Amino acid sequence: MAFTPRVFSGIKPSGDLHLGNYLGAIRRFVPLQDTHQTIYCVVDMHAITVWQEPEDLRRWTYEIAAAYIAAGLDPKRSIIFNQSQVVEHAELSWIFNCVARMGWMSRMTQFKDKAGENSEQVSLGLFAYPSLMAADILLYKATGVPVGEDQKQHLELTRDIAKKFNHDFRKQIKAFGHDEEFFPLTETLATGPAMRVKSLRDGTKKMSKSDASDMSTIYMMDDADMISKKIKKATTDPEALPTEAAGLAGRAEAENLVQIYAALADLSVADVLKEYGGSGWGRFKPALADLAVAVLAPVATEMRRLVGDPGEMDAILRDGAERARAIAQPVMDDVRKIVGFVR
Ligand code: TYM
């Protein structure tokens, strides 16, 4: 039996949403509604792997759910919910903690970056984070996960966990009448421009929720003036734009701005350079600023409207959680049997 084409993705409510989240994830969630069953989660249990003020956590949870809808997700077609409302995520992640190996987790570059010198002091949850992420995805037997480039290693680990579970329990999986592959080997959907949006001040760093310099990050809730100002002040080199993509090699800041333009306009980098190759920043930056404002301002307006109506947001999240549980519970029932838990 083939797996249902099903997409799952999630965003952590641990800071204000930014252009990287929009281009690397949210914007690409929308067209998948036409081809897949789509499940989009606000992963609040992931957020608390580092300290979150409870009030901020709540506010950001609403903000992300609002961004999903404002960007074009239809809560009737897509399942939109927050992770902690479906307890099966926690249950499956515990089982995966017992499948995954310490060595696999120790190799996760995001853990190493986040823990830094301080690895004795970070939470146990931060270390186990990728196993919860695998549970998010495999609880729904998702076949595809749209994410930015920084999540690729976690998706590889998800496949490793699925493979090991399928292998370790193959006898039980067969005995219970399943195909040999109980969990799918989920595909990472991360192609196209702007899969790794960089800081506007430093082309060696990714744009992130936690950058100390506000000028480096375009936030989804920035107003038009702020967006324009940040783009016009973005660090660049003195050269004109090249006429072909190869000419962007070694020019991280230039490449970043061209990729952002391409992603916002739904064009390829080559097409953008056909139009702007040979131009200086005096022409390109204002065009990029106008484009960014035209795309982002309506999303921000709708986000503000939605977060101003927590009653509506609660209803959407509750309905989404109920539909998510309807998929998750039968999978968990099977997993408990396969593992040997008596019920
Ligand atoms: P998070 O919350 O850090 O980021 C959410 C999404 O935004 C993408 N992203 C970027 N894309 C391009 N350029 C950037 N500068 C940039 N910054 C962030 C991320 O790649 C991601 O797609 N572990 C995940 C959340 C998660 C998840 C999941 C994702 C938990 N469970 C299951 C997919 C499936 C995270 O921390 O994303």
Side-chain angles (χ1 to χ4, degrees), residues 8-12 18 20-21 24-25 43 46 110 129 133 136-137 145-151 154 194-197 206-207 209:
F8 181 97
S9 198
I11 298 184
K12 279 194 311 280
H18 55 76
N21 301 132
V43 288
H46 276 95
Q110 275 214 341
Y129 180 115
M133 184 160 161
D136 299 339
I137 295 164
V145 176
V147 278
E149 219 168 82
D150 60 345
Q151 296 300 316
H154 289 156
M195 286 301 97
R196 187 181 189 84
V197 177
K206 75 168 180 182
M207 188 177 280
K209 291 172 194 146

Side-chain angles (χ1 to χ4, degrees), residues 107-316:
R107 285 193 283 277
M108 293 294 110
T109 54
Q110 275 214 341
F111 174 77
K112 288 192 236 170
D113 291 349
K114 284 202 173 170
E117 306 282 278
N118 207 18
S119 65
E120 293 288 308
Q121 292 307 318
V122 295
S123 74
L124 185 55
L126 190 69
F127 188 68
Y129 180 115
S131 146
L132 177 59
M133 184 160 161
D136 299 339
I137 295 164
L138 296 175
L139 187 55
Y140 304 94
K141 299 190 176 182
T143 53
V145 176
V147 278
E149 219 168 82
D150 60 345
Q151 296 300 316
K152 279 185 171 172
Q153 197 188 26
H154 289 156
L155 268 292
E156 273 165 37
L157 186 107
T158 299
R159 285 188 287 273
D160 287 341
I161 290 179
K163 262 185 232 161
K164 186 158 162 46
F165 185 96
N166 289 343
H167 176 268
D168 290 355
F169 295 103
R170 63 190 178 286
K171 260 199 346 238
Q172 293 79 1
I173 290 170
K174 268 200 155 162
F176 286 113
H178 293 283
D179 287 350
E180 271 174 51
E181 291 215 334
F182 180 76
F183 287 122
L185 302 185
T186 310
E187 194 191 342
T188 309
L189 309 174
T191 48
M195 286 301 97
R196 187 181 189 84
V197 177
K198 313 276 175 38
S199 152
L200 297 179
R201 308 302 278 180
D202 178 352
T204 65
K205 290 203 311 202
K206 75 168 180 182
M207 188 177 280
S208 83
K209 291 172 194 146
S210 51
D211 202 303
S213 153
D214 258 5
M215 290 304 285
S216 65
T217 306
I218 293 176
Y219 293 103
M220 292 303 290
M221 293 291 219
D222 280 348
D223 63 23
D225 285 350
M226 186 57 84
I227 294 174
S228 294
K229 191 167 142 198
K230 287 178 178 175
I231 290 177
K232 287 176 187 160
K233 284 192 182 288
T235 308
T236 44
D237 53 35
E239 308 290 315
L241 283 169
T243 49
E244 284 174 27
L248 290 169
R251 297 178 64 187
E253 282 90 3
E255 184 176 36
N256 189 37
L257 295 184
V258 172
Q259 291 214 6
I260 292 173
Y261 190 107
L264 286 169
D266 286 325
L267 291 172
S268 66
V269 165
D271 285 337
V272 177
L273 294 177
K274 249 182 235 154
E275 169 70 25
Y276 290 100
S279 296
W281 297 106
R283 176 167 174 243
F284 185 73
K285 279 186 172 177
L288 176 58
D290 287 349
L291 173 64
V293 168
V295 174
L296 299 177
V299 180
T301 304
E302 182 61 1
M303 278 172 72
R304 280 194 199 91
R305 187 190 72 74
L306 287 161
V307 292
D309 191 349
E312 185 185 344
M313 296 307 299
D314 283 337
I316 289 170

Side-chain angles (χ1 to χ4, degrees), residues 89-118:
H89 288 252
E91 189 179 354
L92 186 58
S93 94
W94 179 256
I95 292 170
F96 286 171
N97 282 346
C98 304
V99 172
R101 306 287 93 182
M102 291 289 283
W104 301 1
M105 296 291 172
S106 311
R107 285 193 283 277
M108 293 294 110
T109 54
Q110 275 214 341
F111 174 77
K112 288 192 236 170
D113 291 349
K114 284 202 173 170
E117 306 282 278
N118 207 18

